[in-house]
Each structure stands twice: as C-alpha cells, then as structure tokens.
Amino acid sequence: MKYLYPFNRASIAILSVFSVLLFFTRPANGQSFTESFNDITQLAANGWFTQNNSSPNGSIGWFQGNTIVFNANTGATDSYIGVNYNSTTLNNTISNWLLTPNRTLRNGDVFTFYSRKSSPDTHADRLEVRMSTNGASTNVGSGSTAVGDFTTLLLSINPTLILGVYPQTWTQYTITISGLPAPTSGRIAFRYYVTGGGPSGSNSDYIGIDDVVYTPYVCPTITLTAGGAL
C-alpha cells in the first residue's frame, strides 16, 4: 500500500529553506589544525613529515627551537621549529622539507604562520611554501632541485636571496588557497631552499617557524525570506 503525505506548497517552501541552511552551514569536519611546535618529537604522530633533500645531507635537519639564537613567537621560549646551514655540508644547495598533515584543500582556506631569521642579517636565507594536490603523498622528489608532487609554489620568502629581506623579528604570513577546480586532498609544505648554503656557503644561516594555523573556508549562512504567497 502506498501512503500519501499531505504536503502543500507552503510546507515544501519551508523544507527547501531548511535544506539550504543545512548545506551552507555544514561544519568543516575537523580539517583545521594549529601547531605551535611545543615538542617536535610529536610531529610525526600528528601527521607531519620531514625529509632533507640537500645535496649532500648535512649533520642536522629540522630541530627544536634554540633559545640561544632567539625565542619562540609565543609560548615556551623553545616552542618553535628551526632549521639552519647544517642541512648540508661545505658550500652546497639546501633543500630541507617540512610537510603539514594531509587535509582536504578548498578554495578560500587560509594558511598562516610566523617566521623569522637570526640577527644580525649576515646571510640571506630563503623559505618556500608549496602545495601538493596528490592526497597524502610525501613525494618531494630526490635531489636538491626536485619538488616531487609539490609543484605549486604558494609563497617564497626572499626568492632572490638578498640581505635585508628575510625578517629578523617574528612576522606573520597569510596564504589563501585558490585555483583549485574542486575540493582536493593534499598537503602544504615548507621548504628551506638555499643555493650557496652550508657551513662554508654565503646564503644560509638560521630560520624559525612558529604558530602554524590552517583554517578551512566556511560558506556564510544564507537566510531566505518569503517574498509573497506561492
């Protein structure tokens, strides 16, 4: 037996408005994250990934902030992540990667972080922020010039390696994701990329990153008001 439900046009209009409100206020499904680097030994468990593609590899990769050089932007004095000229040896090319957790990337998502370098400014330093849209991939290629799946350059701090460009005080950088054809699974990566780097090089010194925040775009709530009788 089929049951007929007595929906009239007014009922349908109310249900339609309710459906639109549900669609446009859908939660972000836990895609946001904040990282203050209180203890970088926990990064891997939280979905972060590091790889040093410097050629050749040096004696150290990414490390807990060194308070002798400078303190963190917020929190405990050593609660930031650092990287320096020891990523490679002698005078060579540094390409040291720090990948954020895998997320669903959407146009309008906002990625912010703080960075600075040591003072005085005697070596230029450079930091790239890159994006991969290949899911949870950690493919950054092999060798100091490779970028693997991280082909989209979102930001470069001091791209031409000039003194006086990389800030010597904590400075916030903001990136808004755009250009994606649809929501896409991927990662964002920091790349400490310095030619002429290393203990004998002229371009690399010491930089820090702190207070990384990823905020998904949330569509604004739309309220429909009836304009007259149906």
Side-chain angles (χ1 to χ4, degrees):
M1 177 181 295
K2 295 182 178 179
Y3 294 89
L4 299 177
Y5 295 90
F7 287 116
N8 55 34
R9 284 183 294 177
S11 300
I12 292 172
I14 292 171
L15 287 175
S16 297
V17 172
F18 186 63
S19 297
V20 170
L21 289 174
L22 282 177
F23 177 78
F24 283 101
T25 57
R26 184 175 57 185
N29 298 322
Q31 292 294 315
S32 63
F33 68 82
T34 299
E35 181 56 62
S36 297
F37 304 106
N38 296 318
D39 179 2
I40 69 167
T41 64
Q42 301 301 312
L43 289 179
N46 292 329
W48 291 72
F49 177 83
T50 60
Q51 182 168 315
N52 189 357
N53 275 355
S54 304
S55 180
N57 270 200
S59 60
I60 193 170
W62 294 86
F63 48 82
Q64 194 74 49
N66 184 348
T67 59
I68 296 175
V69 183
F70 54 76
N71 291 340
N73 181 52
T74 60
T77 54
D78 69 343
S79 61
Y80 68 94
I81 194 166
V83 66
N84 69 6
Y85 57 86
N86 283 317
S87 295
T88 191
T89 62
L90 301 176
N91 182 355
N92 288 294
T93 297
I94 295 172
S95 181
N96 207 342
W97 294 81
L98 172 66
L99 278 57
T100 69
N102 174 223
R103 286 295 185 269
T104 298
L105 307 171
R106 297 177 175 86
N107 291 330
D109 291 357
V110 177
F111 183 73
T112 64
F113 66 96
Y114 286 80
S115 188
R116 64 162 291 180
K117 63 165 296 164
S118 57
S119 180
D121 187 15
T122 56
H123 300 74
D125 285 316
R126 174 169 55 196
L127 180 69
E128 292 184 344
V129 183
R130 290 183 168 271
M131 180 175 68
S132 163
T133 56
N134 191 18
S137 172
T138 57
N139 174 25
V140 294
S142 59
S144 59
T145 61
V147 295
D149 290 330
F150 292 82
T151 53
T152 301
L153 179 64
L154 300 175
L155 172 71
S156 182
I157 303 175
N158 199 10
T160 55
L161 291 170
I162 298 173
L163 291 177
V165 173
Y166 211 112
Q168 298 172 66
T169 59
W170 287 110
T171 302
Q172 186 180 47
Y173 293 88
T174 300
I175 298 168
T176 301
I177 304 301
S178 63
L180 297 175
T184 306
S185 177
R187 291 181 187 260
I188 295 174
F190 295 105
R191 182 193 188 199
Y192 183 50
Y193 178 51
V194 186
T195 53
S200 302
S202 59
N203 287 329
S204 62
D205 194 359
Y206 179 110
I207 69 166
I209 297 172
D210 202 359
D211 294 328
V212 177
V213 179
Y214 188 84
T215 306
Y217 175 73
V218 178
C219 294
T221 300
I222 294 179
T223 302
L224 300 182
T225 303
L230 296 175

